[in-house]
Amino acid sequence: MTEQGTPGSGAGKAPEPSGVDLARVALRAAREAARARGDAAQQRKQVRRGGLRSGARADRRDPMALGPAISRLLSERGWEAPAAVGGVMGRWPEIVGEDVAKHCEPERYDEDERVLVVRCDSTAWATNLRLLAPTLVARLNEDLGHGTVRLIKVVGPGGPVRRFGPLRAPGSTGPGDTYG
């Protein structure tokens, strides 16, 4: 017999892979299995959409603190002026002073007309606030931005609710209906 035919010689077989060659074979097999499952295609889609993770630099997907997140929401929706005026309503005593704040309170803000409506608990305080209105508009616009509040409409106290009773005529508006 020749040496080629002996079982222990190994001359007719290809050498068995070892070391780096084994790693290459294993990597090739893993890649083929991944392609078969579709994982590679999914990763390519994610890379095209912005990557698998955000990386070292900040981007829009990173978590934000609450303050900047709310500021971004307000600016995206165009709610800066109403939110600022809402803040003024919360800080009303600081802006006008404690004495005025006890008797006058902001009721609503009309964003289209840029008018702040303030209700006072007496006609005397309503007159006082009407005299202070230009100064107050200037102070509010310094705080909120130029032109946010154009006018302050001062409303006096509301009258009593008129109810029908045994001594009232239907359709009567009270003592004023006989004068006009």
Side-chain angles (χ1 to χ4, degrees):
M1 272 190 113
T2 64
E3 279 188 16
Q4 289 181 356
T6 52
S9 67
K13 297 183 199 174
E16 295 235 346
S18 65
V20 175
D21 294 327
L22 272 176
R24 284 186 186 135
V25 169
L27 180 62
R28 187 177 312 123
R31 283 183 180 163
E32 289 172 1
R35 278 191 201 104
R37 289 191 318 261
D39 289 345
Q42 182 67 22
Q43 285 180 349
R44 281 193 297 272
K45 281 183 187 177
Q46 287 178 346
V47 168
R48 272 186 258 135
R49 279 188 264 153
L52 299 172
R53 60 184 88 123
S54 70
R57 291 189 176 86
D59 68 2
R60 61 179 175 77
R61 296 172 295 154
D62 288 339
M64 296 177 70
L66 185 61
I70 289 175
S71 297
R72 186 168 127 189
L73 177 70
L74 291 175
S75 65
E76 286 175 356
R77 303 284 169 108
W79 294 341
E80 292 101 349
V85 172
V88 164
M89 291 184 180
R91 295 181 296 122
W92 184 251
E94 295 172 21
I95 295 170
V96 297
E98 291 295 326
D99 291 335
V100 176
K102 288 178 187 174
H103 300 283
C104 305
E105 64 181 31
E107 209 169 69
R108 67 182 175 274
Y109 175 70
D110 184 4
E111 186 179 354
D112 297 329
E113 298 291 323
R114 298 188 318 254
V115 174
L116 180 65
V117 178
V118 179
R119 181 166 302 277
C120 297
D121 62 1
S122 70
T123 56
W125 277 104
T127 302
N128 190 18
L129 195 65
R130 283 187 189 103
L131 294 173
L132 292 172
T135 307
L136 193 55
V137 167
R139 189 179 304 166
L140 289 170
N141 283 331
E142 281 178 18
D143 193 33
L144 302 173
H146 181 68
T148 305
V149 177
R150 188 177 54 84
L151 177 71
I152 293 180
K153 182 179 177 183
V154 181
V155 181
V161 178
R162 309 219 177 194
R163 293 191 169 90
F164 293 103
L167 301 176
R168 299 192 57 84
S172 169
T173 58
D177 68 349
T178 58
Y179 299 113

